Amino acid sequence: MDSPRWRLVPELHLRRCGDQWVAFHSGRGTTHLVDAGAGRVLACLQREPGLDLPALAARLGPESDTPAGAMTGWLAGLRDSGLVRDDA
């Protein structure tokens, strides 16, 4: 079974704010504050939509000593918050 490919939801705007990130969904008018790790995931998907988990981990590179389980947790949380979707 293929790994889901992840994308930002349409109308999502990102801004870095110190060690955190602000994600604003202009269609819903909602704002979310996410930690640095989840923010890096969002920024990576903004630059390169449609990545699966292994490709996403590779893009984040050595600066991200994040285990796959943590990244999976971030993606699930971002999906539950309506910030990303998967093409499973």
Side-chain angles (χ1 to χ4, degrees), residues 8-69:
L8 299 184
V9 296
E11 301 177 333
L12 189 69
H13 307 276
L14 297 174
R15 294 287 182 268
R16 188 174 188 167
C17 187
D19 289 338
Q20 297 178 321
W21 290 74
V22 176
F24 175 66
H25 189 288
S26 60
R28 292 187 204 144
T30 57
T31 302
H32 302 266
L33 185 63
V34 299
D35 66 22
R40 285 193 308 270
V41 168
L42 290 172
C44 188
L45 291 174
Q46 184 177 45
R47 287 187 306 272
E48 224 176 320
L51 296 174
D52 62 8
L53 184 60
L56 184 57
R59 298 305 188 286
L60 291 176
E63 70 192 38
S64 173
D65 294 328
T66 306

Side-chain angles (χ1 to χ4, degrees), residues 49-85:
L51 296 174
D52 62 8
L53 184 60
L56 184 57
R59 298 305 188 286
L60 291 176
E63 70 192 38
S64 173
D65 294 328
T66 306
M71 196 171 303
T72 300
W74 279 331
L75 288 167
L78 293 169
R79 181 189 56 220
D80 292 347
S81 296
L83 302 178
V84 298
R85 63 182 171 87

